[in-house]
Amino acid sequence: MAGPAHQGGYDVVVLGGGVNGAGVARDCAMRGLSVLLLEKRDLACGASGASSGMIHGGIRYMTSDRNVTALASRDAGYIRHIAPHLTFRIPFLLPFASQAEGSRLLDRVTWYATEVYVGTYDLFQPLKGGKPSVRLSADELYRVEPGLRPGLHGAVTLDEWGIDGQRLCLLNALSAADHGADVRTWTEATSLVREQGRVVAVRFRDAVTGEHGEARAGVVVNATGGWSPQFGRSNGFQVPMRPGKGVHLSLDRRHGNYGIICTAVDGRQMFLMPHEMESIIGTTDDDFFGDPDDLDATADEVAYLVDGAASLVPSVREARITRAWWGVRTTLFEYGVEEDDLSRDHRIYDHAGEGSAGLLSFVGGKLASYRAQSEELTDRVAAMLGKATLPCRTHEVPLPGGDEVPSPRELAARHGIAEPVAARIVFRHGSLAREVLRLVDEDPRLKLVLCRDEGILAAEVAWIARHERVRRLQDLRRRCRLALGGCGGLDCARPAAQIVARELDWDADRLRAELSDLLEAGWRERRAVLDGWQLAEEELLRAVHRGLGGL
Amino acid sequence: MSKVRSYAWLAWRAVVPHPLRALRRRGTGEERFLAAYATEGLAPTGLEARADADASSACISCGLCESACSLRAAIPAIRSLGLHAAFRLCGKSDEMLAHASAELSACAACTGCEPLCPTGVPITRLVRALAARAAVLDAARRELPPRER
Amino acid sequence: MAPAPRIECDVLVVGGGMAGATAALAAREAGARVVMARKSPGSTGLSGGAVSVAQDPACMPDAPFAARSGVVESARRIAATRPGHPYGLLRDRLDRLWNAVEFATGQLSSVLAPPTGRNRWLLTPFGHAHPAAACQRTMAAGDLAEVRGTLVVCGFEGHLGWDPGLVASGAVRVEPLGGPRPRAVLLDLFRWEEGAVGTPFDLARLLEAPGAAEEAGKILKRILARGDAAAVLPPVLGIDPAARVPERMSAEAGIPVAEFLSDLPSVPGLRMHRAIEARLAAAGVEVLGGEVRSGAGPDLPAAVGGREVVARSWVLASGRFVGGGIERRGELRESVLGLPVQASEGPFADPSIRFAARAAATLTQADSRAPQALLAAGLRVDGELHPLDAEGRVVHPRVFAAGAVVGGHDPASDGTGMGVAIFTGWLAGRAAAGRGA
């Protein structure tokens, strides 16, 4: 059962711990509704965790409705406000390339149009703390980014925000829990219970303990993203969507501080952009009809992305690719349309007509708009419940740790740790970094830096295990990038597992099983990109974890 | 309908406000770009820095270099983070580098670590190059108001 | 300044890991003048202290004592089941495997304990019992097949690096098969900041200090109970064998004291690297630091670290990916002579399949436990250890390959890496020196 506090059931049961599920759970909980969030794996395991990690201002909507752009930009500003520590600025370059020798009139018109378009977007930039665009001449462009291929004619720049999408998801769920929601990860909704054409309860199964349970619900929100069609089919309702597989590649470090918009071999736009401490190349977009639980990056997807990025930045071929990762995005259903032309809009489906009153499905949308989408969804939920609720405050109440960004230098000095390590902790935890580092005063052993590749401190692992709803070791991939860097967990996987095991009271067999699971996930993401030094690293990893560890 | 209005609006922007705005602007595009970003630590990456980055990427984090680093015994900051972090972690992004100038500038360039590196990373040269860049970034950062650091 | 004179020698060994060292020392013993070109420590310098030669493939992973067969016998079984494995290629000469192991361990006896002919079973930090035909002297007393009574598995109170409960779980699993009963304890050591954040090298140096090992021995003695037969500790018992840390601890504690195996960073790896350097110097092998790039082969001058070397025979012992003997930049290639990479295992074991240019995704399988062709890729050699070209012909009658540069096995994880290095190194070194096996 889901807890004694809610024997009478919940106002809302949210299915899916992606950014929409976590966002709507937070909003509902903050408005005073009782909420249960069920996620079959971990938070941000699907498309939210595999997104490009951008909070953009909706530049592409200026051609259809500038009010949408204004709303999107304002919302980006809100996210900056509630989670300032998780965001970072990404200046983009949109280089001007010509198909012909020299520059033709048509090219020049196109470039001017681009400049005007991005320049018009500048009107919205103040809403999100963005900077105005700039047009660079060819010479200027090569001074700003000397790694670009020759023959370009200049560029315009565009200012956007990057974010740690996985922690954004987590913080929404933690905030929901702080406001009274029950958040259950690794708990799968197995079926819906109906009475007289109404969905009245959700049955679920805890994948870690094997326990079954049932929770009564006033409204059920299906936010299972790419899993929706499957879940709908097995539960007697239909969720129309066009799922699309998107693959990204990570480089082991920032290739530069500026994102670069490139054109892929098939003419699609793609990018190479700095993201946290990496650069990422993205993204593919292909219709996906398979099982979202069984994905891999294929050889052609890897080649497509590398070739596309190298067409403008040849030096990426020398860079070390550490992993390929993927997700299934949910786009609205349309027939006879190219993947790229599908709307990135969202829709809420009410399944009352299918004998499932009280069930809403959320489809589509973007990470950047999650807050506004959640607000809209919560409004619908509240209306269906017919309950008077508090007003929405998700745009003004900071997420956990988002109230202040402490100075890494100060924290490093106070607690006697290295400043880069403190900086990483501040990035991930915001003002809660103070609490994280307080642990090293109590136990100086926690000053041990476990991962010299990602700057993961033992204290951070202990903190996360205690306070961030860790149920499996692999949850730390999304909480603090454990074993996600180029080293794949060579230094840190075992000691981090030991600390988590101590905190969560796992025995040695459980610890080994969790370690195996963590390493297997890393292997799946690396195997398609093993080349150069990453392949040498893999040899070491294999020697340690399989050869020595018997894992 | 709204599409038509949007395009009309953009066309008007192209003909009137955009050229007017261009007249009001001061400085070259590059100057305005660098003023906006380099001050926030988002500086251009030169070819040399990129070559150094590629050389650093050869690190396979075996940790052998640390056995020969005499600074580890002497300097607390180095002790807790370690030498190979200097070019793996700190060299990953300028943001990280800006926080690492103390660690990096502590290297006395004894080169004791280099013969131990299985992949031949030119550790001393890279640490020195990173330290130089870190000092520049660090100085730029100190000039920013606290909220923006 | 006049350029340094050209070096003429009988054998040029490329690579200074276990394969290269064994080859150089074997050729030296056969009376050849030997030059070694090596750039840095390879994977041998990163090894954990075990010399793994062969684990009986018939033996279930968690049932080591069920198969007490000898190491050579186990190698024969591997040869029979995996024809593309170097043991398979050399199956007619496996009767000399043990000579090679005894030779190599004898040469490196400053760090390696004498082998017994069967595998020792040693604990790892991951809670696994690992078979090793030989191991470092500091580790021999931790052999699970020999300890009678309780094995005290120690961690350090002040350092989070090792969890004695996890380490001991490796012994718990084999206890019903005749292993000792493990007891996990924390020793009250390193409880100050310097210890808490130390790397294994730091801790090893701290224990080498005068009186430190004795103090540690006393702390160990305090927690000993009746029936405790031996103690294993994290692999930080001194870097220099001459510091005799385990012996000093043992003298105070009154029971044998050993290290368990190491992951990275590895103190035993550094110890091994230093022992190899010292032995090569003592045996009169001339070691040149630097890479051999685009060297032309026997009788032709090769540039190594600013010197020019002409050798009658070459032994390529340049390692796999960590060593740099095989590299992949979009395509697999051998880095010294540019030879084709065409031996592997799993779906690409068939030598007629060209796989060097295939995408990484097609050379690997989603299940990491399955054979991974990419990780097993290397040179194809004949039964004399001559590398073969793309047409299957011997590249040169006086070029030999040894160790991980030879394909068809996964030295990182299949438990035969050191054995292949020693056996092929020994055979190649002798052959290059003009002495058959």
Side-chain angles (χ1 to χ4, degrees):
Chain A
M1 281 295 127
H6 296 286
Q7 289 295 356
Y10 296 86
D11 291 327
V12 196
V13 175
V14 180
L15 312 181
V19 77
N20 288 309
V24 78
R26 175 180 195 234
D27 201 345
C28 285
M30 283 174 65
R31 294 200 212 180
L33 300 175
S34 61
V35 181
L36 169 66
L37 174 68
L38 298 176
E39 162 55 52
K40 75 168 187 165
R41 293 202 286 158
D42 183 30
L43 301 161
C45 258
S48 303
S51 81
S52 307
M54 302 259 322
I55 297 295
H56 53 75
I59 185 171
R60 61 190 275 172
Y61 309 114
M62 286 195 317
T63 53
S64 50
D65 188 348
R66 69 178 115 142
N67 291 326
V68 176
T69 305
L71 284 173
S73 291
R74 189 165 294 127
D75 228 69
Y78 291 148
I79 295 172
R80 276 275 297 150
H81 168 70
I82 62 174
H85 58 298
L86 279 189
T87 58
F88 45 90
R89 196 186 291 286
I90 309 178
F92 279 90
L93 304 173
L94 286 71
F96 297 149
S98 172
Q99 305 300 328
E101 286 286 306
S103 63
R104 296 171 302 175
L105 179 64
L106 178 64
D107 287 327
R108 287 202 292 273
V109 171
T110 314
W111 300 337
Y112 183 68
T114 310
E115 182 190 337
V116 170
Y117 193 81
V118 179
T120 303
Y121 185 52
D122 287 351
L123 297 176
F124 304 94
Q125 289 286 14
L127 295 171
K128 64 185 182 75
K131 302 202 172 194
S133 70
V134 168
R135 177 154 178 175
L136 298 171
S137 70
D139 288 348
E140 291 176 327
L141 175 61
Y142 287 112
R143 280 199 293 274
V144 161
E145 181 43 273
L148 288 165
R149 74 156 165 84
L152 298 170
H153 298 268
V156 287
T157 70
L158 169 65
D159 190 283
E160 297 286 16
W161 291 103
I163 194 163
D164 183 326
Q166 303 179 337
R167 284 201 63 88
L168 177 66
C169 248
L170 170 76
L171 293 188
N172 272 279
L174 292 179
S175 170
D178 287 345
H179 286 89
D182 284 336
V183 175
R184 300 192 60 149
T185 59
W186 297 99
T187 304
E188 180 173 15
T190 49
S191 62
L192 301 176
V193 183
R194 289 185 181 77
E195 283 170 14
Q196 293 155 359
R198 227 192 133 67
V199 173
V200 294
V202 179
R203 292 205 182 96
F204 56 84
R205 179 181 173 277
D206 187 314
V208 177
T209 63
E211 283 173 333
H212 288 265
E214 184 177 315
R216 294 191 72 80
V219 173
V220 175
V221 174
N222 168 32
T224 56
W227 284 266
S228 282
Q230 261 182 18
F231 184 71
R233 267 198 303 279
S234 52
N235 283 284
F237 64 97
Q238 284 206 340
V239 186
M241 72 163 72
R242 273 268 297 262
K245 179 185 178 192
V247 177
H248 289 87
L249 305 179
S250 289
L251 308 185
D252 69 328
R253 61 188 62 235
R254 283 191 168 208
H255 198 63
N257 288 318
Y258 312 132
I260 292 161
I261 305 292
C262 325
T263 307
V265 63
D266 55 0
R268 288 185 58 246
Q269 267 199 353
M270 48 171 288
F271 60 79
L272 161 70
M273 73 171 180
H275 200 270
E276 299 187 30
M277 294 198 294
E278 308 174 332
S279 276
I280 60 180
I281 302 175
T283 156
T284 66
D285 188 353
D286 292 295
D287 277 315
F288 179 76
F289 305 102
D291 180 350
D293 284 320
D294 186 24
L295 283 177
D296 267 313
T298 62
D300 65 309
E301 285 163 339
V302 173
Y304 174 91
L305 291 171
V306 173
D307 289 351
S311 72
L312 272 192
V313 192
S315 52
V316 293
R317 291 202 192 276
E318 308 302 316
R320 172 167 163 181
I321 303 174
T322 53
R323 58 192 195 107
W325 36 285
W326 49 80
V328 176
R329 58 167 86 73
T330 68
T331 29
L332 299 181
F333 184 81
E334 273 183 274
Y335 199 91
V337 180
E338 286 273 343
E339 290 98 329
D340 262 5
D341 298 332
L342 286 171
S343 166
R344 293 295 192 263
D345 206 352
H346 63 276
R347 196 169 296 164
I348 299 167
Y349 291 96
D350 187 331
H351 298 286
E354 299 169 77
S356 304
L359 172 66
L360 298 177
S361 285
F362 183 89
V363 177
K366 300 168 300 298
L367 183 83
S369 313
Y370 91 91
R371 198 211 59 81
Q373 290 158 10
S374 300
E375 184 177 345
E376 185 186 338
L377 196 47
T378 305
D379 290 345
R380 280 285 286 275
V381 168
M384 282 172 76
L385 288 169
K387 274 200 175 181
T389 61
L390 302 170
C392 175
R393 293 185 62 213
T394 54
H395 58 297
E396 54 187 27
V397 179
L399 288 164
D403 51 328
E404 186 216 340
V405 184
S407 150
R409 175 163 299 157
E410 223 170 88
L411 285 179
R414 182 178 319 148
H415 298 283
I417 60 163
E419 195 178 316
V421 172
R424 289 301 288 164
I425 293 175
V426 168
F427 173 75
R428 285 191 279 259
H429 300 271
S431 63
L432 292 173
R434 297 183 200 291
E435 308 298 320
V436 175
L437 290 177
R438 206 157 285 158
L439 298 183
V440 307
D441 299 340
E442 294 159 19
D443 184 352
R445 294 179 303 176
L446 293 172
K447 278 191 184 178
L448 190 65
V449 178
L450 301 182
C451 173
R452 268 75 67 91
D453 200 8
E454 291 285 339
I456 300 173
L457 194 70
E460 191 189 359
V461 171
W463 167 269
I464 287 172
R466 277 178 216 174
H467 300 286
E468 293 191 347
R469 294 179 177 261
V470 171
R471 300 197 68 204
R472 306 283 314 268
L473 183 61
Q474 60 149 282
D475 295 354
L476 275 84
R477 281 162 51 91
R478 293 165 288 274
R479 306 286 188 280
C480 64
R481 294 181 51 85
L482 179 70
L484 280 198
C487 66
L490 187 64
D491 277 358
C492 61
R494 180 180 57 78
Q498 289 166 190
I499 292 170
V500 174
R502 203 175 57 160
E503 295 293 336
L504 302 186
D505 207 19
W506 290 344
D507 65 15
D509 288 342
R510 173 81 191 274
L511 195 166
R512 278 177 62 85
E514 292 289 342
L515 203 44
S516 255
D517 173 69
L518 172 82
L519 298 169
E520 199 68 22
W523 162 255
R524 297 246 334 212
E525 292 185 342
R526 286 192 305 272
R527 70 182 191 89
V529 296
L530 292 177
D531 197 46
W533 294 117
Q534 194 60 43
L535 181 52
E537 188 90 69
E538 193 66 40
E539 190 181 24
L540 268 194
L541 270 166
R542 206 166 161 79
V544 168
H545 291 138
R546 274 185 60 60
L548 196 68
L551 294 165
Chain B
M1 194 56 221
S2 68
K3 222 171 187 129
V4 175
R5 264 211 305 273
S6 299
Y7 278 104
W9 175 55
L10 286 167
W12 178 74
R13 300 268 327 159
V15 180
V16 185
H18 196 78
L20 283 177
R21 202 177 115 184
L23 288 177
R24 282 204 309 273
R25 279 196 295 253
R26 281 161 201 282
T28 65
E30 184 183 8
E31 282 162 3
R32 281 179 285 126
F33 182 83
L34 293 179
Y37 296 117
T39 50
E40 288 195 355
L42 298 171
T45 307
L47 295 178
E48 220 167 281
R50 199 159 276 159
D52 285 347
D54 290 339
S56 310
S57 291
C59 172
I60 50 173
S61 58
C62 69
L64 208 47
C65 56
E66 299 192 343
S67 70
C69 186
S70 50
L71 271 184
R72 283 190 51 83
I75 298 177
I78 294 273
R79 196 170 58 221
S80 66
L81 190 56
L83 173 65
H84 80 244
F87 47 93
R88 266 197 88 123
L89 172 65
C90 306
K92 281 184 170 205
S93 79
D94 284 348
E95 200 209 327
M96 206 40 58
L97 201 50
H99 290 292
S101 55
E103 278 86 351
L104 293 167
S105 58
C107 171
C110 73
T111 71
C113 50
E114 287 188 18
L116 283 172
C117 179
T119 58
V121 177
I123 301 173
T124 311
R125 179 171 71 75
L126 292 178
V127 169
R128 204 175 290 165
L130 287 172
R133 191 169 168 89
V136 173
L137 292 167
D138 196 34
R141 194 163 279 254
R142 274 169 212 260
E143 287 162 17
L144 285 174
R147 182 63 190 75
E148 297 293 319
R149 272 179 209 161
Chain C
M1 207 173 82
R6 166 189 284 198
I7 304 174
E8 312 254 350
C9 62
D10 302 316
V11 179
L12 173 67
V13 177
V14 184
M18 187 57 104
T22 308
L25 293 167
R28 194 79 196 96
E29 190 200 43
R33 183 169 178 212
V34 182
V35 171
M36 173 186 284
R38 64 134 184 79
K39 50 185 170 85
S40 52
S43 44
T44 303
L46 305 176
S47 60
V51 176
S52 301
V53 175
Q55 178 183 3
D56 194 325
C59 154
M60 297 301 285
D62 283 337
F65 304 128
R68 282 280 186 95
S69 67
V71 174
V72 175
E73 196 181 321
S74 298
R76 281 190 210 286
R77 290 205 191 147
I78 291 170
T81 52
R82 293 164 64 186
H85 189 283
Y87 290 162
L89 291 176
L90 299 167
R91 60 187 161 275
D92 297 338
R93 299 157 85 181
L94 279 175
D95 53 333
R96 308 300 304 276
L97 172 60
W98 199 249
N99 300 69
V101 172
E102 286 191 320
F103 173 78
T105 52
Q107 293 284 316
L108 298 172
S109 61
S110 63
V111 286
L112 293 180
T116 64
R118 59 152 190 89
N119 277 318
R120 292 190 173 100
W121 292 87
L122 306 171
L123 288 175
T124 80
F126 290 88
H128 180 61
H130 183 86
C135 66
Q136 295 201 359
R137 288 183 175 277
T138 50
M139 296 168 169
D143 179 4
L144 296 179
E146 286 299 323
V147 176
R148 299 274 171 269
T150 304
L151 178 67
V152 185
V153 180
C154 307
F156 300 132
E157 192 84 60
H159 197 285
L160 291 173
W162 300 270
D163 174 355
L166 175 62
V167 178
S169 74
V172 171
R173 247 171 280 123
V174 297
E175 191 190 337
L177 307 161
R181 171 184 301 275
R183 183 161 75 88
V185 298
L186 284 173
L187 296 183
D188 192 3
L189 280 168
F190 305 118
R191 277 181 75 162
W192 63 96
E193 200 180 310
E194 202 180 338
V197 301
T199 66
F201 305 114
D202 298 334
L203 303 188
R205 283 203 187 92
L206 288 169
L207 285 174
E208 280 179 352
E214 287 75 10
E215 181 58 28
K218 282 184 194 134
I219 291 169
L220 172 59
K221 188 184 177 85
R222 248 176 261 148
I223 54 101
L224 289 183
R226 260 178 58 147
D228 287 346
V232 286
L233 278 87
V236 296
L237 301 186
I239 296 173
D240 184 0
R244 304 182 66 252
V245 173
E247 292 87 341
R248 283 155 61 201
M249 274 192 76
S250 177
E252 287 293 336
I255 59 169
V257 169
E259 292 172 317
F260 47 81
L261 295 172
S262 184
D263 55 359
L264 292 168
S266 173
V267 169
L270 180 61
R271 233 182 251 147
M272 176 70 102
H273 172 67
R274 288 184 177 179
I276 288 174
E277 300 277 282
R279 183 64 206 129
L280 290 171
V285 173
E286 183 161 4
V287 177
L288 299 178
E291 287 184 72
V292 183
R293 283 273 157 186
S294 64
D299 305 328
L300 295 167
V304 186
R307 302 291 297 269
E308 206 172 64
V309 184
V310 177
R312 218 185 125 266
S313 316
W314 281 41
V315 177
L316 280 185
S318 41
R320 188 71 61 84
F321 304 115
V322 171
I326 305 291
E327 52 184 25
R328 185 177 190 276
R329 308 256 171 232
E331 187 170 342
L332 285 160
R333 62 186 285 277
E334 187 277 321
S335 62
V336 177
L337 295 174
L339 301 173
V341 169
Q342 49 188 353
S344 187
E345 55 178 359
F348 298 94
D350 179 346
S352 67
I353 303 176
R354 295 270 182 273
F355 61 81
R358 288 195 180 225
T362 67
L363 292 174
T364 51
Q365 306 191 50
D367 178 3
S368 73
R369 289 169 186 80
Q372 303 296 344
L374 183 53
L375 275 305
L379 296 179
R380 189 146 71 95
V381 296
D382 67 7
E384 308 288 317
L385 295 172
H386 292 114
L388 304 177
D389 68 12
E391 276 71 48
R393 294 173 307 220
V394 168
V395 170
H396 189 291
R398 280 175 277 118
V399 172
F400 303 88
V405 74
V406 177
H409 66 130
D410 177 0
S413 73
D414 73 3
T416 64
M418 283 281 194
V420 168
I422 288 171
F423 189 35
T424 56
W426 185 72
L427 290 173
R430 289 163 64 90
R435 252 173 73 174

